[in-house]
Amino acid sequence: HARGAAVVPLMRTGGASNGMFGFPSGALEKPSFSTEEQWSLLKSKDAPVEESASAVADIVKACAGKIAKDKVAKEEVQRLRGELGEDACIVCILGGTKFQDNESEELVKAIAPKLEATAGPTVKFVTGGMAGVQEAFAKNCGDGSRVWNLLPLGQSSGFGRGTDINAGADLEERKAIFGL
């Protein structure tokens, strides 16, 4: 667990898998790839054995899927790093698809050219290709040559500014890549 291994403890059995004998307490916390219901089936001595066994199988399957997705995401990040430049300082531009007030839009439109003008040439600006804050930034960031819009495969930003790059099959995969 401390070295990144996924642990699926059968806490209902007691002993080490229930925290005894120096078992790492962090391994007893529900991982992101398990549901609350599945995790409770690993804890409950009252749950039918078959249900607990199914929960173990489902958790391991979900873990394997997460590892595969993470690997693809990391490969995509390496590919994108190659496109943006290994020495690039990447500034992610995030924000809502709608402005809450006129001053917010004005502020984004004022920040974009100032960042473009003062940040060094290795700085690249990456948006998620979404309307609102990201579009306003892209359209106001100089000539757009340092703006990259990261979108799911087959989609385009329509901004007319910056370079659209595609990674991930859908919004969720793109978010995972954007977050790495």
Side-chain angles (χ1 to χ4, degrees), residues 15-62:
S17 63
N18 197 28
M20 296 175 69
F21 312 115
F23 192 80
S25 60
L28 298 174
E29 296 173 11
K30 183 187 81 59
S32 63
F33 49 83
S34 172
T35 66
E36 290 291 340
E37 181 181 355
Q38 290 167 335
W39 204 246
S40 69
L41 288 168
L42 301 185
K43 292 179 182 180
S44 175
K45 289 181 179 262
D46 298 327
V49 168
E50 284 300 316
E51 286 184 27
S52 292
S54 291
V56 169
D58 291 342
I59 291 169
V60 170
K61 179 181 177 184

Side-chain angles (χ1 to χ4, degrees), residues 9-140:
L10 298 176
M11 296 163 280
R12 67 181 281 159
T13 65
S17 63
N18 197 28
M20 296 175 69
F21 312 115
F23 192 80
S25 60
L28 298 174
E29 296 173 11
K30 183 187 81 59
S32 63
F33 49 83
S34 172
T35 66
E36 290 291 340
E37 181 181 355
Q38 290 167 335
W39 204 246
S40 69
L41 288 168
L42 301 185
K43 292 179 182 180
S44 175
K45 289 181 179 262
D46 298 327
V49 168
E50 284 300 316
E51 286 184 27
S52 292
S54 291
V56 169
D58 291 342
I59 291 169
V60 170
K61 179 181 177 184
C63 176
K66 181 182 182 316
I67 290 170
K69 276 188 171 183
D70 288 352
K71 182 180 180 205
V72 169
K74 286 178 183 172
E75 289 169 355
E76 284 291 294
V77 168
Q78 287 177 335
R79 179 183 66 82
L80 295 172
R81 264 280 178 200
E83 285 189 43
L84 295 171
E86 294 296 326
D87 64 340
C89 170
I90 298 170
V91 176
C92 296
I93 306 301
L94 306 172
T97 56
K98 293 183 180 177
F99 289 99
Q100 301 303 312
D101 60 51
N102 289 337
E103 188 175 282
S104 296
E105 184 172 5
E106 184 181 332
L107 183 60
V108 170
K109 288 179 176 180
I111 289 170
K114 290 199 183 303
L115 275 177
E116 196 274 335
T118 58
T122 61
V123 175
K124 308 288 171 121
F125 305 100
V126 178
T127 80
M130 299 176 78
V133 170
Q134 296 171 29
E135 182 176 12
F137 185 92
K139 288 183 173 182
N140 290 278

